[in-house]
Short mmCIF file of all heavy atoms in Angstrom, two decimals:
data_model
loop_
_atom_site.label_atom_id
_atom_site.label_comp_id
_atom_site.label_asym_id
_atom_site.label_seq_id
_atom_site.Cartn_x
_atom_site.Cartn_y
_atom_site.Cartn_z
N SER A 1 109.38 102.21 130.80
CA SER A 1 109.00 102.07 129.43
C SER A 1 110.03 102.73 128.56
O SER A 1 110.29 103.91 128.71
CB SER A 1 107.61 102.69 129.17
OG SER A 1 107.33 102.86 127.85
N ALA A 2 110.58 101.98 127.61
CA ALA A 2 111.54 102.56 126.68
C ALA A 2 110.91 103.67 125.82
O ALA A 2 111.59 104.65 125.46
CB ALA A 2 112.14 101.50 125.80
N VAL A 3 109.62 103.49 125.51
CA VAL A 3 108.92 104.49 124.70
C VAL A 3 108.88 105.86 125.39
O VAL A 3 109.30 106.86 124.84
CB VAL A 3 107.47 103.99 124.37
CG1 VAL A 3 106.72 105.07 123.60
CG2 VAL A 3 107.53 102.69 123.60
N LEU A 4 108.40 105.85 126.63
CA LEU A 4 108.23 107.13 127.36
C LEU A 4 109.63 107.66 127.77
O LEU A 4 109.82 108.90 127.78
CB LEU A 4 107.40 106.88 128.60
CG LEU A 4 105.94 106.47 128.32
CD1 LEU A 4 105.18 106.35 129.60
CD2 LEU A 4 105.23 107.47 127.42
N THR A 5 110.55 106.77 128.12
CA THR A 5 111.88 107.25 128.47
C THR A 5 112.57 107.93 127.31
O THR A 5 113.16 109.03 127.45
CB THR A 5 112.76 106.07 128.90
OG1 THR A 5 112.14 105.41 130.01
CG2 THR A 5 114.15 106.52 129.36
N ALA A 6 112.48 107.37 126.11
CA ALA A 6 113.05 107.94 124.92
C ALA A 6 112.38 109.27 124.58
O ALA A 6 113.03 110.26 124.20
CB ALA A 6 112.98 106.99 123.73
N LEU A 7 111.08 109.30 124.68
CA LEU A 7 110.33 110.56 124.38
C LEU A 7 110.81 111.68 125.33
O LEU A 7 111.05 112.85 124.91
CB LEU A 7 108.84 110.36 124.53
CG LEU A 7 108.05 109.79 123.35
CD1 LEU A 7 106.66 109.35 123.77
CD2 LEU A 7 107.96 110.82 122.26
N ALA A 8 110.90 111.34 126.61
CA ALA A 8 111.24 112.35 127.61
C ALA A 8 112.59 112.92 127.38
O ALA A 8 112.82 114.15 127.59
CB ALA A 8 111.08 111.78 129.02
N ILE A 9 113.55 112.10 126.96
CA ILE A 9 114.93 112.53 126.80
C ILE A 9 115.24 113.13 125.45
O ILE A 9 116.28 113.64 125.20
CB ILE A 9 115.89 111.36 127.16
CG1 ILE A 9 117.25 111.86 127.61
CG2 ILE A 9 116.04 110.40 125.97
CD1 ILE A 9 118.14 110.79 128.13
N SER A 10 114.29 112.92 124.50
CA SER A 10 114.59 113.27 123.11
C SER A 10 114.75 114.77 122.86
O SER A 10 115.50 115.18 121.98
CB SER A 10 113.46 112.73 122.15
OG SER A 10 112.26 113.44 122.40
N GLY A 11 113.98 115.57 123.55
CA GLY A 11 113.99 116.96 123.28
C GLY A 11 113.07 117.37 122.17
O GLY A 11 112.95 118.56 121.80
N LEU A 12 112.28 116.37 121.65
CA LEU A 12 111.31 116.65 120.61
C LEU A 12 109.93 116.86 121.25
O LEU A 12 109.75 116.46 122.39
CB LEU A 12 111.23 115.49 119.60
CG LEU A 12 112.53 115.27 118.81
CD1 LEU A 12 112.38 114.02 117.91
CD2 LEU A 12 112.87 116.49 117.99
N PRO A 13 108.94 117.45 120.54
CA PRO A 13 107.64 117.66 121.16
C PRO A 13 107.00 116.36 121.62
O PRO A 13 107.04 115.35 120.93
CB PRO A 13 106.82 118.26 119.96
CG PRO A 13 107.88 118.89 119.11
CD PRO A 13 109.06 118.02 119.21
N VAL A 14 106.44 116.35 122.82
CA VAL A 14 105.86 115.14 123.40
C VAL A 14 104.35 115.33 123.75
O VAL A 14 103.75 114.42 124.36
CB VAL A 14 106.65 114.67 124.69
CG1 VAL A 14 108.03 114.30 124.31
CG2 VAL A 14 106.61 115.78 125.75
N ASP A 15 103.78 116.48 123.37
CA ASP A 15 102.36 116.69 123.67
C ASP A 15 101.51 115.72 122.92
O ASP A 15 100.40 115.32 123.35
CB ASP A 15 102.02 118.15 123.43
CG ASP A 15 102.30 118.59 122.04
OD1 ASP A 15 103.27 118.11 121.40
OD2 ASP A 15 101.59 119.52 121.52
N ARG A 16 101.90 115.28 121.67
CA ARG A 16 101.20 114.31 120.89
C ARG A 16 102.21 113.42 120.25
O ARG A 16 103.18 113.91 119.66
CB ARG A 16 100.36 115.02 119.81
CG ARG A 16 99.26 115.94 120.37
CD ARG A 16 98.54 116.66 119.29
NE ARG A 16 97.74 115.77 118.50
CZ ARG A 16 97.77 115.70 117.16
NH1 ARG A 16 98.60 116.45 116.50
NH2 ARG A 16 96.97 114.84 116.50
N PHE A 17 102.04 112.14 120.37
CA PHE A 17 102.99 111.22 119.79
C PHE A 17 102.30 109.95 119.37
O PHE A 17 101.24 109.62 119.83
CB PHE A 17 104.19 110.90 120.74
CG PHE A 17 103.77 110.17 121.97
CD1 PHE A 17 103.80 108.73 121.97
CD2 PHE A 17 103.45 110.77 123.17
CE1 PHE A 17 103.44 108.03 123.11
CE2 PHE A 17 103.03 110.09 124.23
CZ PHE A 17 103.05 108.69 124.25
N THR A 18 102.98 109.17 118.55
CA THR A 18 102.44 107.85 118.14
C THR A 18 103.58 106.81 118.19
O THR A 18 104.67 107.07 117.73
CB THR A 18 101.83 107.91 116.71
OG1 THR A 18 101.47 106.56 116.28
CG2 THR A 18 102.81 108.50 115.70
N PHE A 19 103.31 105.68 118.75
CA PHE A 19 104.26 104.56 118.89
C PHE A 19 104.03 103.59 117.75
O PHE A 19 102.93 103.06 117.61
CB PHE A 19 104.18 103.90 120.23
CG PHE A 19 105.08 102.69 120.36
CD1 PHE A 19 106.39 102.77 120.11
CD2 PHE A 19 104.48 101.42 120.69
CE1 PHE A 19 107.18 101.60 120.23
CE2 PHE A 19 105.27 100.33 120.81
CZ PHE A 19 106.62 100.39 120.58
N GLU A 20 105.00 103.37 116.93
CA GLU A 20 104.85 102.55 115.74
C GLU A 20 105.56 101.17 115.83
O GLU A 20 105.55 100.39 114.90
CB GLU A 20 105.40 103.26 114.49
CG GLU A 20 104.72 104.58 114.19
CD GLU A 20 103.28 104.45 113.82
OE1 GLU A 20 102.86 103.31 113.47
OE2 GLU A 20 102.51 105.45 113.85
N GLY A 21 106.19 100.90 117.04
CA GLY A 21 106.77 99.59 117.23
C GLY A 21 107.98 99.35 116.27
O GLY A 21 108.68 100.30 115.91
N PHE A 22 108.19 98.12 115.87
CA PHE A 22 109.26 97.75 114.97
C PHE A 22 108.78 97.94 113.53
O PHE A 22 107.65 97.55 113.17
CB PHE A 22 109.70 96.31 115.14
CG PHE A 22 110.53 96.08 116.37
CD1 PHE A 22 109.96 95.68 117.58
CD2 PHE A 22 111.91 96.25 116.33
CE1 PHE A 22 110.71 95.48 118.71
CE2 PHE A 22 112.68 96.01 117.42
CZ PHE A 22 112.10 95.63 118.66
N LEU A 23 109.65 98.52 112.68
CA LEU A 23 109.35 98.62 111.27
C LEU A 23 109.44 97.27 110.61
O LEU A 23 110.10 96.35 111.10
CB LEU A 23 110.37 99.60 110.60
CG LEU A 23 110.20 101.07 110.89
CD1 LEU A 23 111.46 101.79 110.56
CD2 LEU A 23 108.98 101.62 110.20
N PRO A 24 108.74 97.13 109.46
CA PRO A 24 108.83 95.81 108.71
C PRO A 24 110.30 95.52 108.39
O PRO A 24 111.08 96.40 108.14
CB PRO A 24 108.02 96.13 107.41
CG PRO A 24 107.05 97.22 107.84
CD PRO A 24 107.81 98.08 108.79
N ARG A 25 110.59 94.21 108.34
CA ARG A 25 111.97 93.78 108.11
C ARG A 25 112.40 94.01 106.66
O ARG A 25 113.55 94.39 106.35
CB ARG A 25 112.08 92.33 108.47
CG ARG A 25 111.99 92.03 110.00
CD ARG A 25 112.02 90.52 110.21
NE ARG A 25 111.91 90.24 111.65
CZ ARG A 25 112.99 90.09 112.45
NH1 ARG A 25 114.18 90.19 111.94
NH2 ARG A 25 112.82 89.82 113.72
N LYS A 26 111.47 93.72 105.70
CA LYS A 26 111.82 93.83 104.29
C LYS A 26 111.89 95.30 103.85
O LYS A 26 111.00 96.07 104.14
CB LYS A 26 110.80 93.05 103.47
CG LYS A 26 110.83 91.57 103.70
CD LYS A 26 109.88 90.83 102.83
CE LYS A 26 109.97 89.30 103.12
NZ LYS A 26 109.02 88.56 102.22
N PRO A 27 112.94 95.64 103.10
CA PRO A 27 113.14 97.05 102.73
C PRO A 27 111.98 97.69 102.04
O PRO A 27 111.59 98.83 102.35
CB PRO A 27 114.39 96.97 101.82
CG PRO A 27 115.14 95.81 102.31
CD PRO A 27 114.07 94.79 102.71
N LYS A 28 111.32 97.06 101.09
CA LYS A 28 110.23 97.68 100.35
C LYS A 28 109.08 97.94 101.30
O LYS A 28 108.44 99.01 101.22
CB LYS A 28 109.82 96.77 99.19
CG LYS A 28 110.76 96.77 98.03
CD LYS A 28 110.23 95.98 96.85
CE LYS A 28 111.21 96.02 95.67
NZ LYS A 28 110.74 95.27 94.49
N ALA A 29 108.75 96.95 102.15
CA ALA A 29 107.65 97.13 103.11
C ALA A 29 107.97 98.26 104.13
O ALA A 29 107.12 99.05 104.48
CB ALA A 29 107.37 95.83 103.80
N ARG A 30 109.26 98.30 104.55
CA ARG A 30 109.66 99.34 105.47
C ARG A 30 109.54 100.71 104.84
O ARG A 30 109.02 101.69 105.44
CB ARG A 30 111.13 99.13 105.89
CG ARG A 30 111.71 100.19 106.77
CD ARG A 30 113.24 100.18 106.66
NE ARG A 30 113.68 100.46 105.28
CZ ARG A 30 114.81 100.05 104.77
NH1 ARG A 30 115.67 99.32 105.53
NH2 ARG A 30 115.15 100.34 103.52
N ASP A 31 109.97 100.85 103.58
CA ASP A 31 109.92 102.14 102.90
C ASP A 31 108.48 102.61 102.68
O ASP A 31 108.15 103.78 102.78
CB ASP A 31 110.66 102.10 101.55
CG ASP A 31 112.16 101.89 101.75
OD1 ASP A 31 112.62 102.01 102.92
OD2 ASP A 31 112.87 101.59 100.78
N ARG A 32 107.59 101.64 102.34
CA ARG A 32 106.20 101.98 102.16
C ARG A 32 105.58 102.45 103.51
O ARG A 32 104.78 103.41 103.54
CB ARG A 32 105.40 100.77 101.65
CG ARG A 32 105.56 100.50 100.19
CD ARG A 32 104.47 99.56 99.69
NE ARG A 32 104.49 98.24 100.35
CZ ARG A 32 105.14 97.23 99.94
NH1 ARG A 32 105.90 97.29 98.84
NH2 ARG A 32 105.13 96.09 100.57
N PHE A 33 105.95 101.80 104.57
CA PHE A 33 105.43 102.15 105.90
C PHE A 33 105.91 103.57 106.24
O PHE A 33 105.11 104.39 106.71
CB PHE A 33 105.94 101.20 106.95
CG PHE A 33 105.33 101.40 108.31
CD1 PHE A 33 104.24 100.64 108.72
CD2 PHE A 33 105.84 102.34 109.20
CE1 PHE A 33 103.68 100.82 109.98
CE2 PHE A 33 105.29 102.54 110.45
CZ PHE A 33 104.19 101.77 110.84
N LEU A 34 107.15 103.87 106.02
CA LEU A 34 107.67 105.24 106.29
C LEU A 34 106.97 106.30 105.44
O LEU A 34 106.69 107.38 105.92
CB LEU A 34 109.21 105.28 106.11
CG LEU A 34 110.08 104.49 107.08
CD1 LEU A 34 111.50 104.53 106.68
CD2 LEU A 34 109.86 105.07 108.50
N ALA A 35 106.71 105.91 104.20
CA ALA A 35 105.99 106.88 103.32
C ALA A 35 104.59 107.13 103.83
O ALA A 35 104.11 108.23 103.76
CB ALA A 35 105.99 106.31 101.88
N ASP A 36 103.97 106.08 104.42
CA ASP A 36 102.61 106.25 104.94
C ASP A 36 102.56 107.18 106.15
O ASP A 36 101.55 107.85 106.35
CB ASP A 36 102.02 104.90 105.35
CG ASP A 36 101.62 104.04 104.17
OD1 ASP A 36 101.48 104.62 103.05
OD2 ASP A 36 101.38 102.84 104.38
N VAL A 37 103.66 107.27 106.90
CA VAL A 37 103.70 108.11 108.13
C VAL A 37 104.47 109.39 107.91
O VAL A 37 104.64 110.17 108.85
CB VAL A 37 104.19 107.37 109.35
CG1 VAL A 37 103.35 106.17 109.67
CG2 VAL A 37 105.68 106.91 109.14
N ALA A 38 104.92 109.63 106.70
CA ALA A 38 105.73 110.84 106.42
C ALA A 38 105.03 112.10 106.72
O ALA A 38 105.62 113.11 107.10
CB ALA A 38 106.23 110.79 104.97
#
């Protein structure tokens, strides 16, 4: 799994995580999404 492989190698906390998949393609929708998870 690319998700778990990336988490394991990242060096960031992995006790709690959320997978968000691909971000929206359109810039405004992408920026709103990032703001929602900030």
Side-chain angles (χ1 to χ4, degrees):
S1 165
V3 177
L4 297 181
T5 303
L7 275 167
I9 204 172
S10 70
L12 296 177
V14 297
D15 54 331
R16 299 175 68 231
F17 67 90
T18 174
F19 173 56
E20 301 295 343
F22 284 94
L23 285 164
R25 293 174 179 268
K26 294 184 178 180
K28 287 185 178 180
R30 175 202 61 206
D31 294 349
R32 283 197 300 269
F33 188 96
L34 290 175
D36 284 345
V37 299

